[in-house]
Amino acid sequence: MSDNDPTLTRAWVLHPDIIRRDELTRTAEHALEEAVALGEAMPGLEIVGAEVVKLKKPHAGLLFGKGKLDEIKERLEAEEVELVLIDGPVSPVQQRNLEKKWGVKILDRTGLILEIFSDRARTREGVLQVEMAALSYQRTRLVRAWTHLERQRGGLGFVGGPGETQIEADRRAIDEQLVRLRRQLAKVVKTRELHRKSRAKVPFPIVALVGYTNAGKSTLFNRLTGADVMAKDMLFATLDPTMRKVELGASGLEVIMSDTVGFISNLPTELVASFRATLEEVLSADLILHVRDIAHSETAAQAADVKAILEGLGIEDETPFFEVLNKVDLLEPDAALAVETQAARSDGIFAVSSVTGSGVEGLLDAVSNALQGLKKDEAIALTFAEGRKRAWLFDQGVVEAERQTDEGYTLKVRWTSRQSEQFSRL
């Protein structure tokens, strides 16, 4: 597409820089870069300009001060901008006032991320979750602009004051639609749970890849599994979870590898709630690989965001957790050597390149050893009548030794907690 393609919407990105950052929060410049990348990830947009707007505090009605509003308006008119992306929360009143003042459409960070997710969702579950998140967001954006459409009288129309206003009718319609979507999603989630239970019958450990968006998870997933998941230098290139069975190197251990949606700072609360079902694969994982873009200048802040979201999801502290420092191939030789040396000296940290394959073999060996180490030894006594349980143990290959007694059998088994749970349900 050419830069002046009439089918593209000309957009301008603003990052309100409110002075109250801690040391791990992104600099305003990098926050603006990420906001521009979000805009570029949305098809049909042409980003024609971007700027940081410093604020001591947001103005209640218009977000920005009068002088700054006029200054920005001149730039928007000169560039023939049709859409302004504001990298932060914008209240419904602020949005309405800014649109009136500048004569353009306004979209805040949450609205933009919802638009991207709506464009990318492919599975039935993903589409339903995005619709629910969008409706929850729209419900908060209803502004009292239609009070003239209220019903003239309450009740049956004989007595009483004003009845239901248009905003109340809109809110009720959204609530009814949300109820319908939740019912549909419950059926989809139930199907996913059945799939998860069927996988549980096969004692494959689950390894989940998590990380900041664009950290290279899908590229690493493709290299580990031989899959063909979309992997682009773009925020939220993949949304729907993908799972593949993988055999780990020399050990031959078979595992299920799961690629999940990328995280991002200030992830809209509507999306965290809606995508909880998708991220349940992480909750049930035997091992989590946190993939980091080590070449990014704000990799520490991104890692902090990911850990905060994982804690919010309720990830157990005892779940084994490896940190994968990805994209070492993008570092200068000295910096790459320093990262690789640090990883070699630290437990649970691995320096890799998902593009060149450097360090991937060592990571797989460590994953195999960690999962093998999750196994524990136990002694089990079975009666002669429990032949089905005995057959299941041998079928799983967990029996180390067996001794016959007067009442039945005593078996020494070596198994994972997952297999132990499966056995208890027989």
Side-chain angles (χ1 to χ4, degrees):
M1 291 183 179
S2 62
D3 290 343
N4 54 2
D5 190 328
T7 62
L8 296 178
T9 300
R10 293 173 67 82
W12 193 275
V13 180
L14 297 176
H15 173 72
D17 184 26
I18 303 168
I19 316 297
R20 55 164 186 261
R21 296 193 302 269
D22 59 48
E23 57 184 82
L24 273 180
T25 305
R26 282 153 195 72
T27 62
E29 290 70 25
H30 281 105
L32 182 65
E33 279 179 26
E34 183 174 280
V36 170
L38 279 172
E40 290 171 342
M42 184 65 204
L45 293 188
E46 179 190 358
I47 308 299
V48 297
E51 61 184 294
V52 173
V53 183
K54 293 196 177 293
L55 287 176
K56 286 186 179 177
K57 63 177 183 179
H59 292 251
L62 285 161
L63 187 61
F64 307 108
K66 186 177 183 307
K68 183 58 70 174
L69 284 170
D70 294 337
E71 180 187 323
I72 294 173
K73 182 177 182 178
E74 289 179 12
R75 280 198 285 278
L76 299 181
E77 290 176 347
E79 293 290 339
E80 299 180 349
V81 171
E82 304 163 83
L83 173 68
V84 173
L85 306 174
I86 298 180
D87 184 36
V90 179
S91 73
V93 172
Q94 289 170 340
Q95 179 177 345
R96 183 184 61 185
N97 291 342
L98 286 172
E99 287 179 344
K100 189 175 179 182
K101 176 76 175 174
W102 290 338
V104 298
K105 176 69 179 169
I106 302 292
L107 201 58
D108 69 357
R109 183 184 178 90
T110 299
L112 176 59
I113 293 175
L114 284 170
E115 288 284 349
I116 296 170
F117 273 45
S118 177
D119 179 68
R120 301 283 167 74
R122 291 291 176 267
T123 65
R124 179 64 177 153
E125 182 179 15
V127 170
L128 287 172
Q129 287 169 329
V130 170
E131 284 185 27
M132 282 180 58
L135 282 171
S136 300
Y137 173 70
Q138 288 170 16
R139 193 182 189 281
T140 67
R141 316 301 290 179
L142 296 177
V143 184
R144 291 191 180 278
W146 308 101
T147 50
H148 63 286
L149 294 177
E150 68 187 8
R151 296 173 186 168
Q152 291 304 304
R153 296 198 176 274
L156 296 174
F158 301 112
V159 295
E164 183 180 52
T165 61
Q166 184 63 39
I167 189 173
E168 289 163 346
D170 291 345
R171 190 171 285 134
R172 179 167 50 78
I174 286 176
D175 288 341
E176 289 170 357
Q177 179 69 359
L178 279 170
V179 169
R180 285 195 294 271
L181 287 173
R182 286 192 187 101
R183 286 178 186 151
Q184 293 176 46
L185 184 60
K187 293 179 183 176
V188 178
V189 171
K190 190 173 182 180
T191 303
R192 181 180 284 278
E193 286 173 356
L194 291 173
H195 290 165
R196 188 178 291 121
K197 286 177 181 175
S198 67
R199 283 198 305 270
K201 293 176 183 176
V202 182
F204 296 143
I206 293 177
V207 179
L209 275 66
V210 302
Y212 206 80
T213 183
N214 213 28
K217 293 186 308 304
S218 295
T219 306
L220 181 60
F221 180 81
N222 288 343
R223 178 167 285 277
L224 295 177
T225 65
D228 190 24
V229 173
M230 179 184 177
K232 292 181 68 176
D233 184 15
M234 177 194 291
L235 301 191
F236 299 121
T238 50
L239 282 187
D240 297 309
T242 309
M243 308 189 80
R244 292 286 188 279
K245 188 171 75 170
V246 184
E247 190 173 295
L248 300 180
S251 69
L253 178 68
E254 291 183 310
V255 304
I256 292 176
M257 197 77 68
S258 173
D259 184 22
T260 61
V261 60
F263 299 157
I264 196 168
S265 64
N266 303 318
L267 188 69
T269 53
E270 294 92 345
L271 282 177
V272 173
S274 293
F275 276 81
R276 189 177 185 86
T278 305
L279 294 169
E280 279 176 3
E281 301 296 351
V282 182
L283 292 171
S284 61
D286 295 288
L287 175 67
I288 295 174
L289 300 182
H290 175 195
V291 182
R292 290 176 54 182
D293 178 357
I294 197 62
H296 198 285
S297 59
E298 303 215 341
T299 182
Q302 292 181 351
D305 285 327
V306 170
K307 287 177 181 175
I309 293 173
L310 289 177
E311 288 172 6
L313 287 170
I315 301 297
E316 300 292 337
D317 289 337
E318 55 266 24
T319 303
F321 188 92
F322 284 176
E323 207 159 39
V324 182
L325 309 181
N326 192 25
K327 302 191 182 182
V328 290
D329 55 303
L330 298 182
L331 296 172
E332 294 295 328
D334 290 345
L337 181 61
V339 168
E340 289 166 353
T341 303
Q342 175 206 355
R345 292 175 178 171
S346 308
D347 290 334
I349 299 180
F350 303 88
V352 307
S353 167
S354 53
V355 172
T356 68
S358 169
V360 169
E361 192 174 331
L363 171 64
L364 287 177
D365 288 342
V367 168
S368 177
N369 292 335
L371 293 174
Q372 295 280 10
L374 294 176
K375 293 185 177 181
K376 56 186 178 181
D377 293 324
E378 282 188 46
I380 297 174
L382 298 176
T383 65
F384 288 117
E386 294 178 299
R388 179 167 169 262
K389 289 186 176 181
R390 177 172 174 269
W392 185 89
L393 291 170
F394 276 99
D395 186 52
Q396 296 294 315
V398 298
V399 178
E400 300 280 303
E402 180 188 41
R403 181 171 58 86
Q404 188 170 332
T405 65
D406 294 338
E407 292 79 23
Y409 306 93
T410 299
L411 301 95
K412 179 187 175 186
V413 299
R414 181 173 177 77
W415 57 8
T416 65
S417 57
R418 185 185 297 275
Q419 290 169 316
S420 176
E421 288 175 17
Q422 292 164 16
F423 179 78
S424 67
R425 291 197 295 267
L426 290 178

